[in-house]
Amino acid sequence: MVKICCIGAGYVGGPTMAVIAIKCPAIEVVVVDISKPRIDAWNSDTLPIYEPGLDEVVKACRGKNLFFSTDVEKHVAEADIIFVSVNTPTKTRGLGAGKAADLTYWESAARMIADVSKSDKIVVEKSTVPVKTAEAIEKILTHNSKGINYQILSNPEFLAEGTAIDDLFKPDRVLIGGRETPEGRKAVQALKEVYAHWVPEENIITTNLWSAELSKLAANAFLAQRISSVNAMSALCEATGADVYEVSYAIGKDSRIGPKFLNASVGFGGSCFQKDILNLVYICECNGLPEVANYWKQVIKINDYQKSRFVNRVVSSMFNTVSGKKVAVLGFAFKKDTGDTRETPAIDVCNGLLGDKAQVSIYDPQVTGEQIQRDLAMSKFDWDHPMHLQPTSPTAVKQVSVVWDAYEATKGAHAVCILTEWEEFKKLDYQKIFDNMQKPAFVFDGRNVVDAEKLREIGFIVYSIGKPLDAWLKDMPAVA
Ligand code: NAI
């Protein structure tokens, strides 16, 4: 029986291994992590992450050929294939701070593999890593090898949170990079055989190691760039009276552009896009390509601009002050169908409103109050000036309440900001919400989920990103 061990039971390690287990009943899969609470949660009825369809998959194979354990060394020692899916955040200190990937967790995992291994191993990079990480890992392993043969593969993960299980069941492609040696090709083939249990052969791409590593960074950079492009266009639409929906639809009909990922919004979030672009920027700079670095940096700058433009719109529409006014925030997760708040635009928007002394009342169906308070209390990391942390004042956090119902959040509020595209926000009784709000009542729709015309008929002043502005909003001072 082939044995797989995955180091890191997070958003990637948990779902990917659960899907391998369900699709390959003859393979034993053990997911290990240094975090006991995380492993306990994977072994409980309440999984540590929310992902549609995940519960069913885990429950179908947990205890049969899928296991979660904190006994990292034992399972690494026993495995034939070791996936490493640990976190690779942006470095916050030292050389490359604010841009480079922090490979501390990766390096410690590699050293531990070298320490405990007694048989040959295929080590698979599942985490998103800088180009040439495989070479560094290879060095750590071979310099401590005790005669053991290691093959390093790059197998970046392309799942998106919120649709992880569907993405894993039917991936657009699986990418495997390996050394172009007989041993390297054999290792690639071994991993290919795992995926071939359910992925059509033509969807499994094999490349050299560096192409696979760079493809993941490139894919995230291209995806984020599309969002920043349409968001940049949304600002121009508001200034000119064009409608970003109509523009997106029209350009998306061009088969060279395609219709996906063209929704204007308050900005992208999630743990990956910003971190991976910063990493790409750093790699470009290190390779003497400042023009290329600046090109990609602009994608993040537009994202920051979009978030501050949204806050400015809220404040300027409400007579240039939100001080003491209750503002309801609907949605805190970085996208629907996940409870993940890493780099969510809601953090920057809420901090912007708090900075103007608003009373913010937040509702999200999947994010706990403790998580929201923790996110808002955290110092904002200034990626361009890593030495200047911008602290949120403790009093600001006191201006925040977290409630478990959209109607409670909006009761007595002057404005509603929709920051996550949860389906339930489309179906709320907006007449009831309007009746219980201060007047004039505003809706600032950061995800374009509501029917703005219907809300205007009720009496709301509505701002939808990239759409022609209400007369009220047009009369207010211009937003920079
Ligand atoms: P995560 O933070 O949810 O999970 C990482 C886990 O690794 C944590 O539970 C941590 O305790 C564990 N860990 C760290 N060092 C360890 C060690 N030495 N031994 C055992 N466990 C250790 O991270 P997530 O979101 O799963 O991301 C993992 C990697 O996958 C990152 O490189 C990320 O860029 C990449 N990725 C993430 C995607 C996402 O949607 N979250 C999508 C595609 C790639």
Side-chain angles (χ1 to χ4, degrees), residues 7-13 32-35 38 49 72 85-88 105-106 108-109 112 126-129 156-161 216 220 271-272 275-276 334 340 342:
I7 306 177
Y11 285 87
V12 169
V32 296
D33 204 294
I34 41 177
S35 163
R38 234 185 190 175
I49 61 176
V72 181
S85 183
V86 300
N87 31 336
T88 50
Y105 302 102
W106 234 107
S108 89
M112 183 268 301
K126 200 43 144 169
S127 305
T128 306
V129 290
E157 185 48 60
F158 295 101
L159 68 77
E161 283 177 36
K216 175 62 192 177
N220 274 355
S271 67
C272 294
K275 145 179 108 61
D276 293 348
F334 84 91
D340 195 351
R342 292 178 290 180

Side-chain angles (χ1 to χ4, degrees), residues 30-333:
V30 185
V31 191
V32 296
D33 204 294
I34 41 177
S35 163
K36 186 171 176 328
R38 234 185 190 175
I39 290 298
D40 287 347
W42 280 111
N43 282 320
S44 76
D45 284 337
T46 315
L47 301 184
I49 61 176
Y50 172 71
E51 200 52 73
L54 177 65
D55 271 39
E56 291 78 358
V57 176
V58 169
K59 282 172 190 159
C61 42
R62 193 173 56 191
K64 292 181 188 145
N65 67 329
L66 175 67
F67 304 90
F68 295 92
S69 169
T70 48
D71 199 345
V72 181
E73 299 187 356
K74 171 178 182 283
H75 294 290
V76 165
E78 288 175 357
D80 307 295
I81 303 177
I82 302 165
F83 286 84
V84 185
S85 183
V86 300
N87 31 336
T88 50
T90 307
K91 261 183 107 169
T92 53
R93 303 171 68 114
L95 187 66
K99 294 194 192 95
D102 183 348
L103 294 177
T104 313
Y105 302 102
W106 234 107
E107 185 173 337
S108 89
R111 288 186 186 281
M112 183 268 301
I113 295 171
D115 274 353
V116 304
S117 292
K118 294 185 184 67
S119 56
D120 293 353
K121 308 278 182 215
I122 296 175
V123 178
V124 185
E125 287 178 346
K126 200 43 144 169
S127 305
T128 306
V129 290
V131 192
K132 297 276 176 185
T133 299
E135 202 167 73
I137 300 306
E138 212 168 48
K139 282 189 183 133
I140 293 174
L141 292 172
T142 48
H143 281 82
N144 297 282
S145 81
K146 298 170 282 185
I148 290 166
N149 179 29
Y150 294 102
Q151 281 302 317
I152 320 292
L153 300 180
S154 166
N155 172 221
E157 185 48 60
F158 295 101
L159 68 77
E161 283 177 36
T163 53
I165 296 300
D166 279 350
D167 295 343
L168 289 163
F169 276 164
K170 280 196 192 142
D172 287 341
R173 78 310 208 178
V174 165
L175 178 58
I176 305 173
R179 283 272 182 209
E180 289 154 310
T181 58
E183 299 78 20
R185 278 192 276 273
K186 210 171 137 200
V188 168
Q189 186 56 30
L191 187 56
K192 211 173 157 184
E193 277 164 22
V194 172
Y195 284 108
H197 281 85
W198 78 99
V199 181
E201 181 149 7
E202 63 273 18
N203 289 359
I204 305 178
I205 305 171
T206 56
T207 63
N208 75 27
L209 272 172
W210 328 127
S211 302
E213 288 179 337
L214 184 55
S215 297
K216 175 62 192 177
L217 295 180
N220 274 355
F222 272 61
L223 289 168
Q225 183 239 42
R226 236 172 123 90
I227 299 176
S228 280
S229 295
V230 76
N231 282 346
M233 219 41 92
S234 74
L236 189 56
C237 286
E238 287 167 32
T240 57
D243 180 329
V244 77
Y245 254 33
E246 294 176 352
V247 174
S248 293
Y249 183 75
I251 64 171
K253 279 284 176 191
D254 185 325
S255 59
R256 293 168 302 176
I257 296 173
K260 290 185 182 167
F261 244 63
L262 282 179
N263 285 335
S265 71
V266 62
F268 61 74
S271 67
C272 294
F273 283 174
Q274 174 165 311
K275 145 179 108 61
D276 293 348
I277 293 176
L278 290 171
N279 190 350
L280 190 66
V281 166
Y282 183 67
I283 296 169
C284 293
E285 286 171 353
C286 291
N287 282 285
L289 301 169
E291 289 79 5
V292 186
N294 285 336
Y295 173 76
W296 289 112
K297 212 186 231 181
Q298 201 57 29
V299 172
I300 300 177
K301 286 193 174 168
I302 286 288
N303 198 46
D304 284 342
Y305 165 73
Q306 188 75 345
K307 290 180 275 188
S308 62
R309 200 169 77 77
F310 185 86
V311 173
N312 291 350
R313 177 71 76 190
V314 174
V315 178
S316 75
S317 307
M318 295 167 73
F319 316 104
N320 238 2
T321 176
V322 287
S323 178
K325 293 177 185 167
K326 178 173 174 182
V327 177
V329 166
L330 300 187
F332 199 82

